[in-house]
Amino acid sequence: MYLSLRDRPGGGVHGTVARVATTVLLLGAVSLLTDVSSEMVAAVLPLYLTAQAGLGLFAYGFVDGLYQGVSALVRIAGGYAGDRGNRPKWVAAVGYGLSAVSRAALLPAHGLAAITGVVTADRLGKGLRTAPRDALIADASDPAILGRSFGVHRTLDTIGAAIGPLVAFALLLAVPGGYDSIFVVSFAVAVVGLAVLVLFVPDRRPGLVGAARLGLKRLAREVTAPKLRRPLLAAGLLSLLTVGDGFLYLSLQRRDHFAALLFPLLYVGTNVAYLSLAVPLGRLADRIGRARVFVGGYVALLAAYLVAAAPLHGVAATVGCLALLGTFYAATDGVLSALVSRLVPAEARGSGIAAAQTVVTVARFASSLAFGGLWVVTGRSQALLLVAALLAAAIPVAGWLTRPRPAAELA
């Protein structure tokens, strides 16, 4: 007997098309508004920190590493709190609220220490909210369309992520250098997103009504079970070779020397590709296997590195790189949560998803720190080519780690 990491749904809808749950759509609306807020800031942050605040590339690598990885400190706590108290909505609300406050805190923040504190608070908020939110999505969804449900959520999320940089671009166009106006509008939108969560999203998990809650020891056993180890190891290995988006965008900007005003539009290009492909790739993952699609996403990332490092110029090369990066996110973000959520019991689902996200964020934190130094030592193109070569070697290893395995081997 084999337990497949492809996690094909069983006992599904038998000839009918299951509908995406209302809870998923409401959480998608919350994420849409929150991402309008966060991506307004993220779209200008690399340039703001390196040009306006005067940070060097290594210092930026430190801040970007925090942005990528500090949420790992509380992801497990957020997942466990949602599972243990069976109140994932309110755990998520605390996280969304903390991130909203951090937008306003950017206004008086100057210097590396203050900016680091604000970025840390924002990412801690993200770490608290992500696993409980994804557990709500998984519990509200029919297992047969889990990939599609996460794809729909990520599509709404990414619509917000595409709108955010456009708003930042418009504000900079109206007020050149007006970063403060971006921070104020970002805070206002984040508050609206938090209000939607608190007022409209139900605080219930249909699969757990009346279910016994797991203790800490049992939860620890579930999230360290053999069936999770190989996919988490694969995710960690690949994430160690995932360069932060900000570095990739700075690389494109320096190669083609386009105006700082246009910098936020790079985020738009990535997010348009992401939102276009999130649902199709989610459906593909439901059909052919979530692990396959997840690992395949890193092939697109590898191609993005090669395009960014190559001596290419012009709009076509830039758009191609952004499209590949968006494809990578569409194939990996929600798909990993969908994969992991079916490998743990429902009552430990938030903790299982949090374990996967923690592995990814810790690895990306290390990657950002290393790449900042690598860029300084070797140069932009050489650094990207080195990471691309390592990623090309890691992809087959990850494919082997996530292949279907005998149930006895995973027991």
Side-chain angles (χ1 to χ4, degrees), residues 75-153:
R75 283 181 185 263
I76 291 291
Y80 174 69
D83 287 336
R84 180 64 176 167
N86 202 22
R87 290 291 182 268
K89 167 184 167 175
W90 295 108
V91 177
V94 171
Y96 279 108
L98 185 57
S99 292
V101 170
S102 74
R103 308 282 189 266
L106 277 169
L107 289 167
H110 297 285
L112 180 61
I115 291 171
T116 296
V118 172
V119 168
T120 299
D122 175 46
R123 295 297 90 183
L124 288 175
K126 181 176 177 62
L128 277 175
R129 71 180 182 250
T130 304
R133 180 203 66 201
D134 283 356
L136 282 169
I137 293 171
D139 287 327
S141 300
D142 187 308
I145 61 163
L146 190 56
R148 177 153 66 96
S149 294
F150 274 102
V152 167
H153 174 268

Side-chain angles (χ1 to χ4, degrees), residues 246-256 308-309 375 380-381 384:
F247 278 120
L248 208 57
Y249 297 148
L250 284 172
S251 175
L252 294 173
Q253 193 258 349
R254 295 190 180 192
R255 182 183 70 183
D256 290 338
W375 182 328
R380 175 191 66 82
S381 182
L384 283 170

Side-chain angles (χ1 to χ4, degrees), residues 263-291:
F263 192 83
L265 298 182
L266 297 178
Y267 288 78
V268 177
T270 297
N271 289 324
V272 166
Y274 186 175
L275 70 89
S276 300
L277 294 172
V279 172
L281 289 177
R283 286 177 168 173
L284 181 65
D286 288 335
R287 288 201 305 270
I288 71 169
R290 291 156 193 152

Side-chain angles (χ1 to χ4, degrees), residues 15 67 89 104 106 132 140 162-164 169-170 187 212 230 243 247 280 298 312 404:
Y67 197 82
K89 167 184 167 175
L106 277 169
I163 293 172
F169 173 74
F187 171 70
R230 287 178 178 269
V243 173
F247 278 120
Y298 282 87
L312 304 172

